[in-house]
Amino acid sequence: MRRPPGGENVDRPLGAPLLRWTVLGASAVRPNPGGACAGYLLEVDGAHHLVDCGPGVVARLLTHVRLRDVDSVLVSHGHPDHCLELVVLRQALRYGPDGRRDAGMPIYLAPGMHAQLDTLGAAFIDDAATGPLPDYWSPVIVRRTFDPAAVLELAGVAVTFAPTSHYVPCWAMRFTDRHGRSIVYGADGGPSAAVTALAQGADLLILECTFPTRRGREGDLGHLAPDEAGRLAARAGVRRLVLTHMFATDDREAMRQAAAAACDVPVDLAREGDAWTV
Ligand SMILES: [Zn+2]
Ligand SMILES: [Zn+2]
C-alpha cells in the first residue's frame, strides 16, 4: 500500500470496486481541537455506512456524503464518545435541508442500546404544546439491534462481530465485501483474544490506542497501549494497522513507533480526513 498526497492509502487495481475507510473522528473521550470523536465512513461499491457517531461526526460526515445517501449506521457501544451525536443526526434528518428520505435511516445498535436511546430521546421535546414524543427517533431513524452472533448483511458488505474487553458491552466489527476484502474496526477495548480472532488476515485493522503506555495502568484493561495494539495486529496477521481514539496531547508519533516495533506491518495514525482503500 502507498500513501499518496491527500492522505489516502491505495492498494487496489485501477477500476476495481471500492472498499474505503475514512476517518471522521479519531479523538478519545472528547474531540481533540478541531477534531471529532469516534466516527468512520465505510464506502463499498457506492454504498455508505457510518460506523459510530460521536460528538463532531455529523459535520465531518457532511463533507463526504449527503445524509440521504447514508445507507446505514452502526454503533459499537453506548459510551457518549461513540453515540451522543445520534441526537444531532436525528435533528439533521428531521429538520435539516438535506435530510429528506423516503424511509427512515436504519441504525444498528449494540444490544442494550435501544433502551438507552429511549431514555436519551425522552429528554427532548420538539413542541412544548405536545410534550415528549412517544418515540423521539421515529420516523427519521429506524432503530435496530444487531445480533453479535449472526452475520449482518448490509449494502455491499457483510458484518461480523466480536466482544471487546471494555467497561461496558462493546463490539468489534469485521466488514467483508463480495471480493473477500476486509476491514476490521476494534471499537473500544483492551487486549482481546476475540478481537484478535475476528481480525485474522484482515487487509486493514483499526485499533484504539487510548493509553500512551501500559505503565501505571496495569489494572485497567479496558483500553489498549501501543505495544499491545502492535502485538494484536501481529497475532492477527493483518496487512496494515491504523491507530485511533487518541489524545492530541499525547506524543502520537512515539505511540505509532511503539506499535510498529511490536509488529512487522505498516502502522499509521488516524487523523480526521484520512482514508484507506483496500
Ligand atoms: Zn468506550
Ligand atoms: Zn471511546
Side-chain angles (χ1 to χ4, degrees):
M1 280 187 211
R2 60 194 169 88
R3 166 168 275 203
E8 179 165 353
N9 286 291
V10 175
D11 185 29
R12 67 189 173 96
L14 280 175
L18 198 67
L19 183 65
R20 181 160 61 198
W21 183 266
T22 300
V23 179
L24 304 176
S27 309
V29 179
R30 57 97 177 99
N32 290 320
C37 285
Y40 306 89
L41 177 62
L42 178 71
E43 291 172 83
V44 51
D45 293 355
H48 301 86
H49 306 291
L50 172 63
V51 182
D52 277 341
C53 193
V57 160
V58 167
R60 293 192 168 270
L61 177 67
L62 288 170
T63 68
H64 296 278
V65 62
R66 300 181 305 178
L67 291 185
R68 72 186 67 175
D69 296 325
V70 175
D71 293 272
S72 64
V73 181
L74 293 110
V75 184
S76 64
H77 67 301
H79 275 157
D81 59 324
H82 294 252
C83 71
L84 195 58
E85 189 98 335
L86 288 174
V87 174
V88 178
L89 183 63
R90 181 271 187 187
Q91 293 299 113
L93 288 168
R94 190 164 181 113
Y95 300 115
D98 65 345
R100 196 184 303 267
R101 294 164 59 99
D102 293 336
M105 182 182 287
I107 295 194
Y108 296 89
L109 299 164
M113 287 190 66
H114 190 99
Q116 181 183 7
L117 263 61
D118 276 340
T119 304
L120 184 61
F124 301 104
I125 56 174
D126 282 1
D127 185 333
T130 54
L133 301 168
D135 182 349
Y136 170 77
W137 306 95
S138 177
V140 294
I141 282 176
V142 178
R143 283 183 285 165
R144 296 174 180 156
T145 298
F146 62 73
D147 176 0
V151 179
L152 176 62
E153 297 284 352
L154 300 178
V157 73
V159 192
T160 49
F161 303 90
T164 74
S165 167
H166 201 41
Y167 315 107
V168 298
C170 177
W171 302 92
M173 306 171 187
R174 181 177 183 124
F175 304 93
T176 305
D177 75 0
R178 60 192 168 90
H179 305 284
R181 297 173 299 193
S182 57
I183 295 174
V184 173
Y185 170 53
D188 277 8
S192 163
V195 175
T196 306
L198 184 75
Q200 282 300 312
D203 294 289
L204 187 67
L205 173 60
I206 294 90
L207 286 180
E208 68 124 290
C209 196
T210 311
F211 295 156
T213 172
R214 176 53 62 191
R215 278 193 306 279
R217 298 181 182 272
E218 287 78 5
D220 184 348
L221 295 176
H223 287 297
L224 285 171
D227 56 320
E228 295 165 343
R231 280 197 294 277
L232 198 161
R235 289 190 184 118
V238 303
R239 295 187 63 203
R240 180 176 285 266
L241 171 63
V242 175
L243 301 180
T244 190
H245 201 274
M246 301 165 82
F247 292 102
T249 47
D250 288 329
D251 185 345
R252 286 182 285 187
E253 175 55 25
M255 294 167 71
R256 191 195 67 77
Q257 290 178 18
C263 60
D264 56 1
V265 297
V267 179
D268 296 328
L269 294 171
R271 292 198 169 93
E272 284 82 1
D274 283 350
W276 289 262
T277 302
V278 300

